[in-house]
Amino acid sequence: MTRTTLVQSFKLDQRGLARVFGELEAQIMEAVWALGEPTVQDVVDHLGGDYNYKTIMTVMNRLVDKRVLGRRRESRAFLYTARESRDEFLRRVSRRVVEGLLQDFGDVALAQFVGAVDEVDPRQLEALERMIRERTAQRGSAT
């Protein structure tokens, strides 16, 4: 499985997966993750509403071109699969975003993480504190 998925932007004014995908791409990815190995028709059915088959097919093929989805022929249809799990994808993208912020903005970005503590769920803050302690202990034992 390749790690060179072509996600090229992060949209600050969007929410969830639409920050890295278009809105329809995000919906399609959620459908593929939920369905496992769907056809285009499976995705159209899953999305419901008035989605056009050819539009969904075009977007899914673009996601193949971006190396986010894989595609294989079975009989007369193509089956699509996500190249990585939803959790793997979120972990990789969020890491790249954080690394980019820290590389480009350094202490200013770090201060924003600390300043955002008021917005963080207490359980998330406890988990962050635990991860920092563990990472600090790992670095201490490595030297």
Side-chain angles (χ1 to χ4, degrees), residues 11-142:
K11 301 168 197 100
L12 296 175
D13 60 335
Q14 297 293 320
R15 296 195 46 80
L17 289 174
R19 288 189 192 263
V20 293
F21 294 118
E23 187 64 40
L24 183 55
E25 287 177 327
Q27 292 174 3
I28 289 171
M29 286 306 299
E30 291 288 10
V32 171
W33 281 316
L35 297 169
E37 195 173 29
T39 63
V40 172
Q41 188 61 56
D42 294 334
V43 172
V44 170
D45 294 343
H46 183 83
L47 294 175
D50 296 323
Y51 290 98
N52 179 284
Y53 180 94
K54 287 186 178 187
T55 300
I56 299 299
M57 182 177 64
T58 298
V59 174
M60 290 177 76
N61 286 327
R62 285 187 189 146
L63 290 167
V64 169
D65 293 342
K66 292 179 181 182
R67 296 189 290 252
V68 177
L69 292 180
R71 175 184 62 204
R72 70 178 179 84
R73 181 180 285 282
E74 185 171 291
S75 186
R76 294 179 50 210
F78 282 103
L79 298 175
Y80 293 81
T81 54
R83 290 189 174 249
E84 53 192 340
S85 73
R86 187 178 194 280
D87 287 345
E88 290 168 336
F89 178 82
L90 294 176
R91 191 173 9 264
R92 185 176 54 76
V93 168
S94 62
R95 181 179 187 104
R96 289 191 62 194
V97 168
V98 169
E99 287 172 347
L101 288 171
L102 292 173
Q103 182 179 28
D104 292 347
F105 304 110
D107 289 344
V108 173
L110 194 56
Q112 296 308 309
F113 286 116
V114 173
V117 165
D118 294 338
E119 306 298 321
V120 175
D121 180 294
R123 292 174 297 197
Q124 290 175 315
L125 187 56
E126 289 172 14
L128 178 60
E129 290 170 340
R130 180 181 36 77
M131 287 185 260
I132 290 170
R133 284 191 305 272
E134 289 171 0
R135 179 57 58 107
T136 302
Q138 287 175 351
R139 284 189 176 167
S141 65

